[in-house]
């Protein structure tokens, strides 16, 4: 299994598009139900999504690979839930995702945000505002890791130009490396572009992030 972690405004927007693409490709609707005709569409879906058996009303603690020979009736009782954690230092973007069509798919306990934001400041995102919610974020990661049968690694989306994606993102990444050194950490990072940059400190935020 792979755990998707979105950090900051840009990271969460990328994550939203990522999950939208996954749903479209595998014929999953906004309730988490399979709506396609070819059951092979859900064969590898447990890599990114957990399975909830609605007939038993009990979450499967072991994410067993979906059998391609399962009947439509059996698959119809399964709800697919994104294995995802949404992190931000201000509530704006996460609230917008909650209010979107994708919102009901995500568990509220794994949508964690601060109040003040990072103010495009790497140090504030890393040492001040980020430090206030890092324990809650790592607790959410731990719950997902314990729920996995064999976690392969973490997929993190972030921007290196702002304060949250760069400062808090590197803090999260450092914690993941310390707690799970034998798991893969893969980041998809948006770098600042000199021609479209609107924040004067973007190069500094990116440079401090690369150092970590």
């Amino acid at each position: 299994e792979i755990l998707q972690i979105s950090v900051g405004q840009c990271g969460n927007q990328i994550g939203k598009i990522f999950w939208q693409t996954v749903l479209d490709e595998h014929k999953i609707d906004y309730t988490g139900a399979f709506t396609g005709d070819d059951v092979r569409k859900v064969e590898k879906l447990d890599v990114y999504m957990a399975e909830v058996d609605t007939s038993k009303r009990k979450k499967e603690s072991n994410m067993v690979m979906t059998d391609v020979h399962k009947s439509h009736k059996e698959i119809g009782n399964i709800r697919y839930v994104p294995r995802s954690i949404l992190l931000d230092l201000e509530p704006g973007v996460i609230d917008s995702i909650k209010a979107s069509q994708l919102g009901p798919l995500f568990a509220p306990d794994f949508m964690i945000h601060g109040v003040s934001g990072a103010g495009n400041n790497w140090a504030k995102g890393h040492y001040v505002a980020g430090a206030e919610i890092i324990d809650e974020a790592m607790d959410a990661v731990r719950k997902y890791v314990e729920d996995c049968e064999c976690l392969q690694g973490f997929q993190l989306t972030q921007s290196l130009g702002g304060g949250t994606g760069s400062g808090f993102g590197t803090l999260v990444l450092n914690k993941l490396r310390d707690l799970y050194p034998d798991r893969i950490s893969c980041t998809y990072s948006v770098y600042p572009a000199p021609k479209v940059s609107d924040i004067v400190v973007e190069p500094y935020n990116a440079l401090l992030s690369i150092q970590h």
Side-chain angles (χ1 to χ4, degrees):
E1 297 99 337
I2 295 175
L3 174 57
Q4 157 71 18
I5 303 175
S6 303
V7 184
Q9 177 179 342
C10 180
N12 278 291
Q13 289 172 337
I14 294 173
K16 181 181 178 181
I17 298 300
F18 169 77
W19 287 114
Q20 183 67 66
T21 303
V22 170
L23 295 183
D24 292 343
E25 184 173 328
H26 292 274
K27 305 300 181 184
I28 305 296
D29 65 16
Y30 293 115
T31 66
F34 176 65
T35 59
D37 297 322
D38 188 354
V39 294
R40 290 176 297 179
K41 287 283 186 179
V42 298
E43 182 183 5
K44 303 294 184 181
L45 196 55
D46 61 328
V47 173
Y48 279 107
M49 304 186 84
E51 299 177 5
V52 178
D53 191 341
T54 56
S55 64
K56 298 178 181 179
R57 299 294 180 184
K58 181 180 178 182
K59 187 173 182 181
E60 298 289 348
S61 59
N62 55 333
M63 312 304 178
V64 182
M65 184 178 296
T66 305
D67 185 359
V68 294
H69 298 296
K70 278 186 177 179
S71 67
H72 280 275
K73 183 177 180 180
E74 290 176 306
I75 293 178
N77 291 329
I78 294 175
R79 179 172 176 261
Y80 295 92
V81 181
R83 191 179 292 109
S84 177
I85 298 176
L86 285 66
L87 305 173
D88 204 350
L89 296 180
E90 55 187 6
V93 176
I94 290 183
D95 285 345
S96 69
I97 294 175
K98 284 181 180 179
S100 69
Q101 290 179 308
L102 284 173
L105 280 176
F106 299 102
D109 292 345
F110 299 103
M111 304 174 81
I112 302 167
H113 61 78
V115 178
S116 60
N120 298 316
N121 187 313
W122 184 92
K124 186 176 180 181
H126 194 85
Y127 295 111
V128 183
E132 295 175 358
I133 66 170
I134 187 62
D135 291 337
E136 185 180 359
M138 288 300 104
D139 188 51
V141 170
R142 177 187 58 79
K143 290 177 182 178
Y144 264 128
V145 171
E146 291 176 352
D147 201 41
C148 291
E149 184 179 84
C150 182
L151 181 72
Q152 183 177 5
F154 306 95
Q155 174 179 296
L156 188 142
T157 55
Q158 62 181 153
S159 168
L160 300 185
T164 302
S166 62
F168 187 46
T170 51
L171 178 60
V172 170
L173 196 57
N174 289 342
K175 290 288 186 179
L176 292 176
R177 288 170 177 168
D178 290 341
L179 295 172
Y180 309 100
D182 57 339
R183 295 293 179 261
I184 298 171
S185 295
C186 179
T187 63
Y188 294 89
S189 307
V190 178
Y191 282 73
K195 292 185 178 180
V196 296
S197 176
D198 57 350
I199 303 171
V200 68
V201 294
E202 280 188 357
Y204 301 99
N205 291 334
L207 189 60
L208 289 166
S209 301
I210 294 170
Q211 182 183 358
H212 287 262

